[in-house]
Amino acid sequence: MELKDLRPAAGSRKNRKRVGRGPASGTGKTAGRGMNGQKSRAGGGKGAGFEGGQTPLAMRLPKLGGFRNINRVEYLPVNVSRIEEKFEAGDVVDHDALVAKGIIKKNTALVKVLGDGDITKAVTVKVDKVSASAAAKIEAAGGKVEPLC
């Protein structure tokens, strides 16, 4: 057997249907499209989303609303009441200390101290942001708020 003798299996290859090529072909004149109507015309037929004249599903569903700011910066909130219960007087409250105490999960997260609750211990706070009310409470208790470099 040589390369020239190779043939496809019998029945595996089929000639394409040549429509509109005379009455003897079986698909002459109307080319297998029937007599008249939308489907007999060139480009005829319904669109992909056509639902028989009823309003299509894509038009019945509500549009997506809203806006997502890609520049938004998320801070993890930590209240002064949590600092009061987890830290001792003289401690430094920073990312590593917050992770060690289990208040936040990762020390790469941005943290903002908020003023909910009361604080009586003098602590030094070194986090990304501190609200004005939290800073006032910390300093009133004898603590310090140092900005992060």
Side-chain angles (χ1 to χ4, degrees):
M1 176 180 257
E2 294 181 358
L3 198 60
K4 66 179 182 181
D5 298 328
L6 291 177
R7 295 278 177 269
S12 67
R13 306 284 288 176
K14 191 174 176 182
N15 292 337
R16 68 183 180 89
K17 186 188 284 191
R18 297 182 70 229
V19 296
R21 290 295 179 268
S25 70
T27 52
K29 193 185 170 211
T30 53
R33 289 171 174 258
M35 297 294 281
N36 297 328
Q38 186 177 22
K39 291 175 75 175
S40 72
R41 313 281 196 249
K46 309 287 194 299
F50 187 74
E51 297 182 19
Q54 141 182 308
T55 306
L57 180 67
M59 292 178 71
R60 292 198 305 264
L61 295 175
K63 305 294 182 283
L64 290 175
F67 166 76
R68 188 170 196 89
N69 185 359
I70 59 169
N71 298 318
R72 179 178 168 84
V73 179
E74 288 275 350
Y75 289 92
L76 291 177
V78 176
N79 286 305
V80 290
S81 58
R82 291 278 282 159
I83 294 172
E84 170 72 22
E85 67 186 41
K86 293 280 187 177
F87 289 91
E88 298 300 321
D91 285 352
V92 175
V93 180
D94 59 359
H95 288 89
D96 295 327
L98 290 168
V99 171
K101 300 278 184 182
I103 296 174
I104 63 173
K105 290 186 178 168
K106 289 191 260 182
N107 64 355
T108 57
L110 299 174
V111 175
K112 182 171 183 176
V113 176
L114 304 177
D116 187 34
D118 293 314
I119 188 165
T120 57
K121 298 170 184 168
V123 293
T124 304
V125 177
K126 294 181 181 178
V127 293
D128 302 294
K129 277 196 172 186
V130 180
S131 71
S133 62
K137 287 181 181 182
I138 291 166
E139 287 167 0
K144 287 192 292 185
V145 177
E146 295 181 5
L148 213 67
C149 296

